[in-house]
Amino acid sequence: EAEVAQSPRYKITEKSQAVAFWCDPISGHATLYWYRQILGQGPELLVQFQDESVVDDSQLPKDRFSAERLKGVDSTLKIQPAELGDSAMYLCASSSHSYNEQFFGPGTRLTVL
Amino acid sequence: QKEVEQDPGPLSVPEGAIVSLNCTYSNSAFQYFMWYRQYSRKGPELLMYTYSSGNKEDGRFTAQVDKSSKYISLFIRDSQPSDSATYLCGGGGTSYGKLTFGQGTILTVHP
């Protein structure tokens, strides 16, 4: 069964350091989402790609976060510099097209010390 | 007010019980809804996808949507200890298909 892959699964870093997360969506899925989930809350969208283009990054803190999906396949989310409040689960999801079912990866749990 | 509201629970039921999980939403533009199950420290797993008012059944799970009252429900029949997880509801269909989630309901099914 096709799955969304993410790495690393866990990341511990010190504040002011740079971190990067990687996501490989289900093959053929044109739409890719990055969500952030704080403990005890639901996921919140950070950025959405349609193929290689960003279609929604309204909730992405652009002073420190960046995301890319250069060839329209896998994607990288970067935080520089990391802050204590960035500690959360970072989830990647994909769907065949916008408005279709979204399938999530296992997430990357980030702890900022 | 959040666009999607969920009672966080926790909800504790005995094995075999029928479980009712509920969400309300305020955004009339939502066109479809998804229910996810999330085990501790794992990614959400899609359970149900519904886009019209009424009921949709899949095995032990039934999703119900009432767009007139902006109310959605997930029913679990014959609940099992393996159903113990956090259940997330999400509404979508507005901006490019993003999902807006409730905070999740923690469910424990005890043997």
Side-chain angles (χ1 to χ4, degrees):
Chain A
E1 183 175 308
E3 295 181 340
V4 176
Q6 288 188 250
S7 67
R9 294 293 308 279
Y10 303 93
K11 180 69 177 179
I12 300 174
T13 190
E14 295 185 344
K15 63 179 182 178
S16 79
Q17 296 299 302
V19 292
F21 313 130
W22 176 80
C23 171
D24 191 13
I26 293 172
S27 178
H29 278 195
T31 310
L32 185 148
Y33 310 81
W34 283 101
Y35 289 86
R36 178 169 60 185
Q37 185 178 25
I38 296 170
L39 191 63
Q41 299 183 21
E44 293 186 337
L45 182 71
L46 290 174
V47 61
Q48 178 180 344
F49 290 90
Q50 182 65 34
D51 298 310
E52 67 276 8
S53 300
V54 172
V55 295
D56 187 350
D57 63 356
S58 57
Q59 299 304 308
L60 188 72
K62 299 181 188 62
D63 57 336
R64 299 184 300 109
F65 286 64
S66 63
E68 61 182 15
R69 193 185 183 198
L70 293 176
K71 296 183 179 179
V73 181
D74 58 339
S75 176
T76 302
L77 178 69
K78 297 179 181 177
I79 308 174
Q80 182 174 17
E83 296 181 352
L84 295 177
D86 296 332
S87 294
M89 174 82 92
Y90 290 82
L91 294 162
C92 179
S94 71
S95 63
S96 55
H97 297 284
S98 299
Y99 305 104
N100 284 7
E101 296 97 321
Q102 294 183 27
F103 299 93
F104 282 82
T108 296
R109 180 168 293 279
L110 173 66
T111 301
V112 182
L113 303 176
Chain B
Q1 181 187 9
K2 292 187 175 182
E3 288 186 282
V4 181
E5 299 273 6
Q6 247 183 300
D7 184 341
L11 182 62
S12 180
V13 301
E15 183 175 355
I18 297 175
V19 177
S20 174
L21 303 165
N22 307 299
C23 287
T24 59
Y25 65 94
S26 58
N27 191 336
S28 299
F30 286 155
Q31 300 175 35
Y32 53 81
F33 304 89
M34 300 188 201
W35 281 98
Y36 289 85
R37 176 174 63 194
Q38 186 174 28
Y39 294 114
S40 181
R41 299 182 180 273
K42 305 289 186 182
E45 172 193 7
L46 180 64
L47 292 175
M48 301 288 277
Y49 170 68
T50 58
Y51 51 85
S52 59
S53 287
N55 294 351
K56 180 179 181 180
E57 187 174 320
D58 185 359
R60 296 185 296 113
F61 299 93
T62 299
Q64 190 173 79
V65 176
D66 183 346
K67 290 188 174 181
S68 62
S69 58
K70 298 188 178 66
Y71 196 84
I72 58 176
S73 300
L74 179 71
F75 299 96
I76 307 175
R77 290 183 300 279
D78 187 25
S79 57
Q80 303 295 311
S82 59
D83 294 327
S84 298
T86 297
Y87 289 79
L88 296 162
C89 65
T94 55
S95 172
Y96 299 103
K98 78 169 189 179
L99 284 175
T100 302
F101 286 93
Q103 72 178 96
T105 299
I106 299 171
L107 170 68
T108 300
V109 181
H110 52 86

